[in-house]
mmCIF file of all heavy atoms in Angstrom:
data_model
loop_
_atom_site.group_PDB
_atom_site.id
_atom_site.type_symbol
_atom_site.label_atom_id
_atom_site.label_comp_id
_atom_site.label_asym_id
_atom_site.label_seq_id
_atom_site.Cartn_x
_atom_site.Cartn_y
_atom_site.Cartn_z
ATOM 1 N N PHE A 101 0.860 -1.173 0.000
ATOM 2 C CA PHE A 101 0.000 0.000 0.000
ATOM 3 C C PHE A 101 0.902 1.231 0.000
ATOM 4 O O PHE A 101 1.999 1.217 0.563
ATOM 5 C CB PHE A 101 -0.877 0.031 1.240
ATOM 6 C CG PHE A 101 -2.076 -0.870 1.185
ATOM 7 C CD1 PHE A 101 -1.941 -2.251 1.288
ATOM 8 C CD2 PHE A 101 -3.348 -0.344 1.040
ATOM 9 C CE1 PHE A 101 -3.042 -3.091 1.234
ATOM 10 C CE2 PHE A 101 -4.462 -1.168 0.994
ATOM 11 C CZ PHE A 101 -4.311 -2.536 1.089
ATOM 12 N N ALA A 102 0.422 2.310 -0.596
ATOM 13 C CA ALA A 102 1.170 3.564 -0.529
ATOM 14 C C ALA A 102 1.054 4.179 0.855
ATOM 15 O O ALA A 102 2.022 4.679 1.416
ATOM 16 C CB ALA A 102 0.654 4.542 -1.580
ATOM 17 N N TYR A 103 -0.141 4.101 1.420
ATOM 18 C CA TYR A 103 -0.361 4.633 2.764
ATOM 19 C C TYR A 103 0.285 3.700 3.778
ATOM 20 O O TYR A 103 -0.018 2.507 3.825
ATOM 21 C CB TYR A 103 -1.863 4.765 3.035
ATOM 22 C CG TYR A 103 -2.189 5.153 4.454
ATOM 23 C CD1 TYR A 103 -1.766 6.372 4.989
ATOM 24 C CD2 TYR A 103 -2.909 4.286 5.274
ATOM 25 C CE1 TYR A 103 -2.057 6.711 6.296
ATOM 26 C CE2 TYR A 103 -3.208 4.625 6.581
ATOM 27 C CZ TYR A 103 -2.770 5.833 7.087
ATOM 28 O OH TYR A 103 -3.054 6.182 8.388
ATOM 29 N N ARG A 104 1.197 4.213 4.582
ATOM 30 C CA ARG A 104 1.972 3.388 5.508
ATOM 31 C C ARG A 104 1.474 3.454 6.943
ATOM 32 O O ARG A 104 2.088 2.884 7.843
ATOM 33 C CB ARG A 104 3.461 3.778 5.470
ATOM 34 C CG ARG A 104 4.123 3.777 4.104
ATOM 35 C CD ARG A 104 3.849 2.513 3.305
ATOM 36 N NE ARG A 104 4.307 1.313 3.995
ATOM 37 C CZ ARG A 104 3.852 0.092 3.699
ATOM 38 N NH1 ARG A 104 2.906 -0.075 2.802
ATOM 39 N NH2 ARG A 104 4.325 -0.949 4.353
ATOM 40 N N GLY A 105 0.370 4.161 7.177
ATOM 41 C CA GLY A 105 -0.173 4.256 8.528
ATOM 42 C C GLY A 105 -1.172 3.142 8.811
ATOM 43 O O GLY A 105 -1.283 2.168 8.067
ATOM 44 N N HIS A 106 -1.948 3.317 9.891
ATOM 45 C CA HIS A 106 -2.849 2.257 10.327
ATOM 46 C C HIS A 106 -4.292 2.729 10.504
ATOM 47 O O HIS A 106 -5.088 2.038 11.144
ATOM 48 C CB HIS A 106 -2.339 1.651 11.635
ATOM 49 C CG HIS A 106 -0.998 0.994 11.505
ATOM 50 N ND1 HIS A 106 -0.802 -0.174 10.793
ATOM 51 C CD2 HIS A 106 0.229 1.364 11.963
ATOM 52 C CE1 HIS A 106 0.471 -0.505 10.841
ATOM 53 N NE2 HIS A 106 1.121 0.397 11.537
ATOM 54 N N PHE A 107 -4.640 3.886 9.941
ATOM 55 C CA PHE A 107 -6.039 4.289 9.960
ATOM 56 C C PHE A 107 -6.789 3.447 8.931
ATOM 57 O O PHE A 107 -6.521 3.515 7.727
ATOM 58 C CB PHE A 107 -6.185 5.774 9.637
ATOM 59 C CG PHE A 107 -5.737 6.682 10.747
ATOM 60 C CD1 PHE A 107 -4.539 7.374 10.664
ATOM 61 C CD2 PHE A 107 -6.510 6.832 11.893
ATOM 62 C CE1 PHE A 107 -4.110 8.210 11.684
ATOM 63 C CE2 PHE A 107 -6.094 7.663 12.923
ATOM 64 C CZ PHE A 107 -4.886 8.355 12.820
ATOM 65 N N LYS A 108 -7.728 2.637 9.414
ATOM 66 C CA LYS A 108 -8.413 1.699 8.533
ATOM 67 C C LYS A 108 -9.171 2.415 7.419
ATOM 68 O O LYS A 108 -9.272 1.904 6.305
ATOM 69 C CB LYS A 108 -9.354 0.813 9.342
ATOM 70 C CG LYS A 108 -8.617 -0.192 10.221
ATOM 71 C CD LYS A 108 -9.582 -1.149 10.901
ATOM 72 C CE LYS A 108 -8.832 -2.184 11.719
ATOM 73 N NZ LYS A 108 -9.762 -3.131 12.394
ATOM 74 N N LEU A 109 -9.697 3.601 7.723
ATOM 75 C CA LEU A 109 -10.441 4.335 6.704
ATOM 76 C C LEU A 109 -9.536 4.702 5.538
ATOM 77 O O LEU A 109 -9.898 4.514 4.368
ATOM 78 C CB LEU A 109 -11.057 5.601 7.312
ATOM 79 C CG LEU A 109 -11.779 6.524 6.310
ATOM 80 C CD1 LEU A 109 -12.939 5.791 5.649
ATOM 81 C CD2 LEU A 109 -12.258 7.786 7.018
ATOM 82 N N PHE A 110 -8.342 5.218 5.839
ATOM 83 C CA PHE A 110 -7.411 5.607 4.775
ATOM 84 C C PHE A 110 -6.996 4.391 3.938
ATOM 85 O O PHE A 110 -6.946 4.450 2.716
ATOM 86 C CB PHE A 110 -6.165 6.262 5.375
ATOM 87 C CG PHE A 110 -6.406 7.658 5.907
ATOM 88 C CD1 PHE A 110 -7.663 8.233 5.852
ATOM 89 C CD2 PHE A 110 -5.366 8.387 6.457
ATOM 90 C CE1 PHE A 110 -7.891 9.505 6.334
ATOM 91 C CE2 PHE A 110 -5.571 9.669 6.939
ATOM 92 C CZ PHE A 110 -6.843 10.227 6.883
ATOM 93 N N LYS A 111 -6.711 3.294 4.645
ATOM 94 C CA LYS A 111 -6.285 2.095 3.932
ATOM 95 C C LYS A 111 -7.431 1.540 3.076
ATOM 96 O O LYS A 111 -7.215 1.088 1.945
ATOM 97 C CB LYS A 111 -5.805 1.049 4.932
ATOM 98 C CG LYS A 111 -4.860 0.020 4.334
ATOM 99 C CD LYS A 111 -4.107 -0.738 5.413
ATOM 100 C CE LYS A 111 -3.051 -1.652 4.789
ATOM 101 N NZ LYS A 111 -2.273 -2.366 5.814
ATOM 102 N N SER A 112 -8.629 1.590 3.608
ATOM 103 C CA SER A 112 -9.791 1.109 2.854
ATOM 104 C C SER A 112 -10.046 1.959 1.625
ATOM 105 O O SER A 112 -10.411 1.442 0.563
ATOM 106 C CB SER A 112 -11.032 1.099 3.755
ATOM 107 O OG SER A 112 -10.870 0.205 4.835
ATOM 108 N N MET A 113 -9.854 3.258 1.764
ATOM 109 C CA MET A 113 -10.062 4.145 0.625
ATOM 110 C C MET A 113 -9.021 3.883 -0.463
ATOM 111 O O MET A 113 -9.338 3.867 -1.657
ATOM 112 C CB MET A 113 -9.999 5.604 1.072
ATOM 113 C CG MET A 113 -11.209 6.034 1.895
ATOM 114 S SD MET A 113 -12.743 5.960 0.957
ATOM 115 C CE MET A 113 -12.464 7.249 -0.258
ATOM 116 N N GLU A 114 -7.790 3.659 -0.052
ATOM 117 C CA GLU A 114 -6.765 3.345 -1.053
ATOM 118 C C GLU A 114 -7.095 2.035 -1.760
ATOM 119 O O GLU A 114 -6.953 1.916 -2.980
ATOM 120 C CB GLU A 114 -5.379 3.249 -0.409
ATOM 121 C CG GLU A 114 -4.297 2.993 -1.449
ATOM 122 C CD GLU A 114 -2.898 2.867 -0.868
ATOM 123 O OE1 GLU A 114 -2.713 3.175 0.328
ATOM 124 O OE2 GLU A 114 -1.992 2.467 -1.619
ATOM 125 N N PHE A 115 -7.558 1.053 -0.991
ATOM 126 C CA PHE A 115 -7.934 -0.214 -1.604
ATOM 127 C C PHE A 115 -9.073 -0.016 -2.606
ATOM 128 O O PHE A 115 -9.071 -0.611 -3.697
ATOM 129 C CB PHE A 115 -8.352 -1.214 -0.526
ATOM 130 C CG PHE A 115 -8.717 -2.572 -1.059
ATOM 131 C CD1 PHE A 115 -7.754 -3.539 -1.241
ATOM 132 C CD2 PHE A 115 -10.032 -2.867 -1.404
ATOM 133 C CE1 PHE A 115 -8.082 -4.785 -1.747
ATOM 134 C CE2 PHE A 115 -10.370 -4.095 -1.917
ATOM 135 C CZ PHE A 115 -9.397 -5.073 -2.078
ATOM 136 N N LEU A 116 -10.032 0.814 -2.237
ATOM 137 C CA LEU A 116 -11.178 1.057 -3.114
ATOM 138 C C LEU A 116 -10.737 1.585 -4.466
ATOM 139 O O LEU A 116 -11.264 1.169 -5.511
ATOM 140 C CB LEU A 116 -12.142 2.041 -2.438
ATOM 141 C CG LEU A 116 -13.414 2.414 -3.206
ATOM 142 C CD1 LEU A 116 -14.302 1.185 -3.372
ATOM 143 C CD2 LEU A 116 -14.169 3.513 -2.472
ATOM 144 N N PHE A 117 -9.771 2.490 -4.478
ATOM 145 C CA PHE A 117 -9.325 3.109 -5.724
ATOM 146 C C PHE A 117 -8.258 2.275 -6.454
ATOM 147 O O PHE A 117 -7.941 2.563 -7.611
ATOM 148 C CB PHE A 117 -8.769 4.513 -5.444
ATOM 149 C CG PHE A 117 -9.849 5.520 -5.160
ATOM 150 C CD1 PHE A 117 -10.123 5.908 -3.852
ATOM 151 C CD2 PHE A 117 -10.603 6.067 -6.183
ATOM 152 C CE1 PHE A 117 -11.119 6.831 -3.580
ATOM 153 C CE2 PHE A 117 -11.593 6.993 -5.928
ATOM 154 C CZ PHE A 117 -11.867 7.388 -4.621
ATOM 155 N N ASN A 118 -7.710 1.239 -5.758
ATOM 156 C CA ASN A 118 -6.654 0.425 -6.374
ATOM 157 C C ASN A 118 -6.906 -1.065 -6.158
ATOM 158 O O ASN A 118 -5.981 -1.845 -6.007
ATOM 159 C CB ASN A 118 -5.288 0.794 -5.770
ATOM 160 C CG ASN A 118 -4.896 2.224 -6.014
ATOM 161 O OD1 ASN A 118 -4.324 2.546 -7.046
ATOM 162 N ND2 ASN A 118 -5.199 3.089 -5.057
ATOM 163 N N ALA A 119 -8.179 -1.457 -6.173
ATOM 164 C CA ALA A 119 -8.534 -2.824 -5.796
ATOM 165 C C ALA A 119 -7.900 -3.869 -6.705
ATOM 166 O O ALA A 119 -7.483 -4.930 -6.240
ATOM 167 C CB ALA A 119 -10.053 -2.983 -5.791
ATOM 168 N N THR A 120 -7.813 -3.594 -7.985
ATOM 169 C CA THR A 120 -7.277 -4.583 -8.917
ATOM 170 C C THR A 120 -5.856 -4.969 -8.529
ATOM 171 O O THR A 120 -5.478 -6.142 -8.582
ATOM 172 C CB THR A 120 -7.292 -4.046 -10.352
ATOM 173 O OG1 THR A 120 -8.641 -3.732 -10.706
ATOM 174 C CG2 THR A 120 -6.740 -5.071 -11.313
ATOM 175 N N ARG A 121 -5.044 -3.977 -8.117
ATOM 176 C CA ARG A 121 -3.672 -4.270 -7.711
ATOM 177 C C ARG A 121 -3.608 -4.798 -6.282
ATOM 178 O O ARG A 121 -2.970 -5.815 -6.007
ATOM 179 C CB ARG A 121 -2.792 -3.017 -7.832
ATOM 180 C CG ARG A 121 -1.366 -3.235 -7.319
ATOM 181 C CD ARG A 121 -0.488 -2.021 -7.491
ATOM 182 N NE ARG A 121 -0.785 -0.927 -6.587
ATOM 183 C CZ ARG A 121 -0.323 -0.841 -5.329
ATOM 184 N NH1 ARG A 121 0.423 -1.800 -4.816
ATOM 185 N NH2 ARG A 121 -0.620 0.204 -4.597
ATOM 186 N N LEU A 122 -4.281 -4.124 -5.360
ATOM 187 C CA LEU A 122 -4.104 -4.412 -3.944
ATOM 188 C C LEU A 122 -4.820 -5.677 -3.479
ATOM 189 O O LEU A 122 -4.536 -6.188 -2.396
ATOM 190 C CB LEU A 122 -4.545 -3.213 -3.102
ATOM 191 C CG LEU A 122 -3.663 -1.967 -3.271
ATOM 192 C CD1 LEU A 122 -4.267 -0.780 -2.543
ATOM 193 C CD2 LEU A 122 -2.251 -2.243 -2.761
ATOM 194 N N ASP A 123 -5.740 -6.181 -4.282
ATOM 195 C CA ASP A 123 -6.414 -7.424 -3.929
ATOM 196 C C ASP A 123 -5.515 -8.636 -4.167
ATOM 197 O O ASP A 123 -5.833 -9.749 -3.755
ATOM 198 C CB ASP A 123 -7.701 -7.563 -4.759
ATOM 199 C CG ASP A 123 -8.714 -8.471 -4.087
ATOM 200 O OD1 ASP A 123 -8.639 -8.640 -2.861
ATOM 201 O OD2 ASP A 123 -9.588 -9.013 -4.789
ATOM 202 N N TYR A 124 -4.401 -8.431 -4.818
ATOM 203 C CA TYR A 124 -3.462 -9.503 -5.167
ATOM 204 C C TYR A 124 -2.408 -9.620 -4.065
ATOM 205 O O TYR A 124 -1.632 -8.691 -3.842
ATOM 206 C CB TYR A 124 -2.813 -9.184 -6.520
ATOM 207 C CG TYR A 124 -1.840 -10.231 -6.993
ATOM 208 C CD1 TYR A 124 -2.234 -11.550 -7.179
ATOM 209 C CD2 TYR A 124 -0.521 -9.905 -7.274
ATOM 210 C CE1 TYR A 124 -1.350 -12.509 -7.621
ATOM 211 C CE2 TYR A 124 0.377 -10.851 -7.730
ATOM 212 C CZ TYR A 124 -0.045 -12.155 -7.903
ATOM 213 O OH TYR A 124 0.841 -13.113 -8.344
ATOM 214 N N ARG A 125 -2.379 -10.755 -3.357
ATOM 215 C CA ARG A 125 -1.532 -10.862 -2.179
ATOM 216 C C ARG A 125 -0.614 -12.079 -2.238
ATOM 217 O O ARG A 125 -0.916 -13.076 -2.908
ATOM 218 C CB ARG A 125 -2.365 -10.971 -0.893
ATOM 219 C CG ARG A 125 -3.410 -9.922 -0.655
ATOM 220 C CD ARG A 125 -2.991 -8.489 -0.708
ATOM 221 N NE ARG A 125 -1.621 -8.158 -0.413
ATOM 222 C CZ ARG A 125 -1.079 -6.978 -0.761
ATOM 223 N NH1 ARG A 125 -1.796 -6.064 -1.413
ATOM 224 N NH2 ARG A 125 0.170 -6.722 -0.463
ATOM 225 N N MET A 126 0.510 -11.983 -1.526
ATOM 226 C CA MET A 126 1.471 -13.075 -1.388
ATOM 227 C C MET A 126 1.162 -13.826 -0.097
ATOM 228 O O MET A 126 1.411 -13.340 0.996
ATOM 229 C CB MET A 126 2.900 -12.524 -1.340
ATOM 230 C CG MET A 126 3.985 -13.589 -1.250
ATOM 231 S SD MET A 126 5.597 -12.883 -0.797
ATOM 232 C CE MET A 126 5.351 -12.509 0.951
ATOM 233 N N HIS A 127 0.608 -15.015 -0.210
ATOM 234 C CA HIS A 127 0.139 -15.794 0.938
ATOM 235 C C HIS A 127 1.168 -16.837 1.381
ATOM 236 O O HIS A 127 0.899 -17.646 2.273
ATOM 237 C CB HIS A 127 -1.190 -16.470 0.548
ATOM 238 C CG HIS A 127 -2.023 -16.919 1.695
ATOM 239 N ND1 HIS A 127 -2.486 -18.219 1.797
ATOM 240 C CD2 HIS A 127 -2.493 -16.265 2.778
ATOM 241 C CE1 HIS A 127 -3.204 -18.331 2.896
ATOM 242 N NE2 HIS A 127 -3.223 -17.177 3.520
ATOM 243 N N ASN A 128 2.359 -16.833 0.799
ATOM 244 C CA ASN A 128 3.395 -17.840 1.065
ATOM 245 C C ASN A 128 3.920 -17.763 2.492
ATOM 246 O O ASN A 128 3.946 -16.685 3.095
ATOM 247 C CB ASN A 128 4.572 -17.655 0.109
ATOM 248 C CG ASN A 128 4.152 -17.625 -1.344
ATOM 249 O OD1 ASN A 128 3.120 -17.062 -1.690
ATOM 250 N ND2 ASN A 128 4.956 -18.200 -2.214
ATOM 251 N N LYS A 129 4.353 -18.928 3.008
ATOM 252 C CA LYS A 129 5.015 -19.002 4.313
ATOM 253 C C LYS A 129 6.224 -19.921 4.174
ATOM 254 O O LYS A 129 6.087 -21.129 3.937
ATOM 255 C CB LYS A 129 4.088 -19.571 5.396
ATOM 256 C CG LYS A 129 2.922 -18.665 5.770
ATOM 257 C CD LYS A 129 1.669 -19.016 5.036
ATOM 258 C CE LYS A 129 0.510 -18.156 5.540
ATOM 259 N NZ LYS A 129 -0.697 -18.346 4.734
ATOM 260 N N LEU A 130 7.418 -19.356 4.362
ATOM 261 C CA LEU A 130 8.638 -20.114 4.107
ATOM 262 C C LEU A 130 9.798 -19.548 4.918
ATOM 263 O O LEU A 130 9.974 -18.333 5.002
ATOM 264 C CB LEU A 130 8.976 -20.060 2.609
ATOM 265 C CG LEU A 130 10.290 -20.702 2.146
ATOM 266 C CD1 LEU A 130 10.269 -22.210 2.385
ATOM 267 C CD2 LEU A 130 10.532 -20.387 0.668
ATOM 268 N N LEU A 131 10.590 -20.445 5.508
ATOM 269 C CA LEU A 131 11.840 -20.093 6.177
ATOM 270 C C LEU A 131 12.924 -21.021 5.642
ATOM 271 O O LEU A 131 12.752 -22.253 5.659
ATOM 272 C CB LEU A 131 11.718 -20.252 7.698
ATOM 273 C CG LEU A 131 13.016 -20.213 8.518
ATOM 274 C CD1 LEU A 131 13.680 -18.855 8.416
ATOM 275 C CD2 LEU A 131 12.749 -20.571 9.975
ATOM 276 N N VAL A 132 14.026 -20.453 5.160
ATOM 277 C CA VAL A 132 15.153 -21.248 4.656
ATOM 278 C C VAL A 132 16.421 -20.803 5.379
ATOM 279 O O VAL A 132 16.715 -19.598 5.445
ATOM 280 C CB VAL A 132 15.340 -21.091 3.135
ATOM 281 C CG1 VAL A 132 16.464 -22.004 2.647
ATOM 282 C CG2 VAL A 132 14.047 -21.417 2.386
ATOM 283 N N VAL A 133 17.176 -21.758 5.897
ATOM 284 C CA VAL A 133 18.413 -21.481 6.633
ATOM 285 C C VAL A 133 19.597 -22.092 5.879
ATOM 286 O O VAL A 133 19.629 -23.303 5.633
ATOM 287 C CB VAL A 133 18.347 -22.068 8.063
ATOM 288 C CG1 VAL A 133 19.659 -21.806 8.805
ATOM 289 C CG2 VAL A 133 17.165 -21.487 8.826
ATOM 290 N N ASP A 134 20.541 -21.245 5.502
ATOM 291 C CA ASP A 134 21.781 -21.670 4.835
ATOM 292 C C ASP A 134 21.515 -22.483 3.567
ATOM 293 O O ASP A 134 22.385 -23.245 3.123
ATOM 294 C CB ASP A 134 22.662 -22.484 5.794
ATOM 295 C CG ASP A 134 23.294 -21.618 6.876
ATOM 296 O OD1 ASP A 134 23.356 -20.387 6.692
ATOM 297 O OD2 ASP A 134 23.719 -22.174 7.905
ATOM 298 N N ASN A 135 20.346 -22.337 2.986
ATOM 299 C CA ASN A 135 19.966 -23.103 1.794
ATOM 300 C C ASN A 135 20.099 -24.604 2.036
ATOM 301 O O ASN A 135 20.242 -25.389 1.088
ATOM 302 C CB ASN A 135 20.810 -22.695 0.583
ATOM 303 C CG ASN A 135 20.168 -23.071 -0.747
ATOM 304 O OD1 ASN A 135 18.987 -23.414 -0.801
ATOM 305 N ND2 ASN A 135 20.941 -23.025 -1.815
ATOM 306 N N ALA A 136 20.055 -25.014 3.319
ATOM 307 C CA ALA A 136 20.273 -26.416 3.688
ATOM 308 C C ALA A 136 19.052 -27.042 4.349
ATOM 309 O O ALA A 136 18.812 -28.250 4.214
ATOM 310 C CB ALA A 136 21.471 -26.530 4.626
ATOM 311 N N ILE A 137 18.288 -26.252 5.110
ATOM 312 C CA ILE A 137 17.073 -26.738 5.756
ATOM 313 C C ILE A 137 15.984 -25.686 5.591
ATOM 314 O O ILE A 137 16.269 -24.505 5.377
ATOM 315 C CB ILE A 137 17.283 -27.043 7.253
ATOM 316 C CG1 ILE A 137 17.786 -25.787 7.989
ATOM 317 C CG2 ILE A 137 18.246 -28.208 7.454
ATOM 318 C CD1 ILE A 137 17.840 -25.952 9.506
ATOM 319 N N ALA A 138 14.732 -26.127 5.689
ATOM 320 C CA ALA A 138 13.625 -25.194 5.471
ATOM 321 C C ALA A 138 12.429 -25.602 6.315
ATOM 322 O O ALA A 138 12.318 -26.735 6.794
ATOM 323 C CB ALA A 138 13.245 -25.158 3.992
ATOM 324 N N LEU A 139 11.525 -24.655 6.484
ATOM 325 C CA LEU A 139 10.249 -24.875 7.151
ATOM 326 C C LEU A 139 9.186 -24.244 6.273
ATOM 327 O O LEU A 139 9.247 -23.051 5.956
ATOM 328 C CB LEU A 139 10.261 -24.226 8.540
ATOM 329 C CG LEU A 139 9.278 -24.749 9.589
ATOM 330 C CD1 LEU A 139 9.584 -26.202 9.936
ATOM 331 C CD2 LEU A 139 9.336 -23.894 10.852
ATOM 332 N N VAL A 140 8.202 -25.049 5.854
ATOM 333 C CA VAL A 140 7.156 -24.555 4.964
ATOM 334 C C VAL A 140 5.827 -25.101 5.460
ATOM 335 O O VAL A 140 5.759 -26.181 6.049
ATOM 336 C CB VAL A 140 7.433 -24.977 3.499
ATOM 337 C CG1 VAL A 140 7.403 -26.480 3.331
ATOM 338 C CG2 VAL A 140 6.459 -24.317 2.534
ATOM 339 N N GLY A 141 4.759 -24.343 5.254
ATOM 340 C CA GLY A 141 3.447 -24.800 5.708
ATOM 341 C C GLY A 141 2.442 -23.679 5.706
ATOM 342 O O GLY A 141 2.442 -22.827 4.814
ATOM 343 N N GLY A 142 1.589 -23.661 6.741
ATOM 344 C CA GLY A 142 0.504 -22.693 6.778
ATOM 345 C C GLY A 142 0.638 -21.611 7.821
ATOM 346 O O GLY A 142 -0.153 -20.669 7.842
ATOM 347 N N ARG A 143 1.642 -21.726 8.718
ATOM 348 C CA ARG A 143 1.736 -20.780 9.828
ATOM 349 C C ARG A 143 2.333 -19.441 9.408
ATOM 350 O O ARG A 143 3.376 -19.386 8.754
ATOM 351 C CB ARG A 143 2.596 -21.344 10.958
ATOM 352 C CG ARG A 143 1.927 -22.438 11.761
ATOM 353 C CD ARG A 143 2.730 -22.806 13.002
ATOM 354 N NE ARG A 143 2.046 -23.833 13.770
ATOM 355 C CZ ARG A 143 2.356 -25.128 13.738
ATOM 356 N NH1 ARG A 143 3.360 -25.542 12.985
ATOM 357 N NH2 ARG A 143 1.671 -26.000 14.455
ATOM 358 N N ASN A 144 1.670 -18.362 9.828
ATOM 359 C CA ASN A 144 2.242 -17.020 9.783
ATOM 360 C C ASN A 144 3.083 -16.808 11.043
ATOM 361 O O ASN A 144 3.225 -17.710 11.874
ATOM 362 C CB ASN A 144 1.126 -15.973 9.720
ATOM 363 C CG ASN A 144 0.368 -16.003 8.412
ATOM 364 O OD1 ASN A 144 0.940 -15.806 7.349
ATOM 365 N ND2 ASN A 144 -0.932 -16.236 8.481
ATOM 366 N N ILE A 145 3.611 -15.601 11.203
ATOM 367 C CA ILE A 145 4.350 -15.236 12.416
ATOM 368 C C ILE A 145 3.418 -14.452 13.325
ATOM 369 O O ILE A 145 2.954 -13.362 12.968
ATOM 370 C CB ILE A 145 5.589 -14.376 12.081
ATOM 371 C CG1 ILE A 145 6.514 -15.107 11.103
ATOM 372 C CG2 ILE A 145 6.335 -14.009 13.364
ATOM 373 C CD1 ILE A 145 7.084 -16.392 11.606
ATOM 374 N N GLY A 146 3.135 -15.012 14.491
ATOM 375 C CA GLY A 146 2.252 -14.334 15.430
ATOM 376 C C GLY A 146 1.791 -15.275 16.529
ATOM 377 O O GLY A 146 1.774 -16.503 16.365
ATOM 378 N N ASP A 147 1.400 -14.718 17.672
ATOM 379 C CA ASP A 147 1.015 -15.517 18.832
ATOM 380 C C ASP A 147 -0.119 -16.489 18.529
ATOM 381 O O ASP A 147 -0.136 -17.619 19.023
ATOM 382 C CB ASP A 147 0.603 -14.596 19.989
ATOM 383 C CG ASP A 147 1.753 -13.737 20.498
ATOM 384 O OD1 ASP A 147 2.908 -13.971 20.081
ATOM 385 O OD2 ASP A 147 1.490 -12.822 21.311
ATOM 386 N N GLN A 148 -1.109 -16.054 17.735
ATOM 387 C CA GLN A 148 -2.239 -16.925 17.412
ATOM 388 C C GLN A 148 -1.784 -18.186 16.692
ATOM 389 O O GLN A 148 -2.263 -19.288 16.968
ATOM 390 C CB GLN A 148 -3.228 -16.184 16.513
ATOM 391 C CG GLN A 148 -3.903 -14.981 17.137
ATOM 392 C CD GLN A 148 -4.654 -14.184 16.081
ATOM 393 O OE1 GLN A 148 -4.076 -13.747 15.095
ATOM 394 N NE2 GLN A 148 -5.947 -14.008 16.289
#
């Protein structure tokens, strides 16, 4: 997003005017260490 703050209204308005681009998201989850081992799956980073 161009808007880097956290006011939901501003972010929603930007999405409204740029939905075709901003609706496209990277949903991947991957960790690679030394190109030797990896962790892949469904978990994001967060307490939940």
Side-chain angles (χ1 to χ4, degrees):
F101 281 73
Y103 173 62
R104 306 312 301 160
H106 297 291
F107 287 105
K108 289 186 177 180
L109 175 61
F110 287 1
K111 203 164 186 178
S112 297
M113 288 297 293
E114 183 181 349
F115 182 88
L116 180 65
F117 285 102
N118 298 274
T120 301
R121 176 178 73 83
L122 293 173
D123 203 23
Y124 181 58
R125 307 307 334 163
M126 182 194 73
H127 199 233
N128 307 39
K129 292 96 175 173
L130 175 65
L131 167 64
V132 184
V133 178
D134 288 341
N135 200 13
I137 58 172
L139 202 64
V140 63
R143 286 189 179 100
N144 292 300
I145 303 298
D147 296 351
Q148 296 169 303

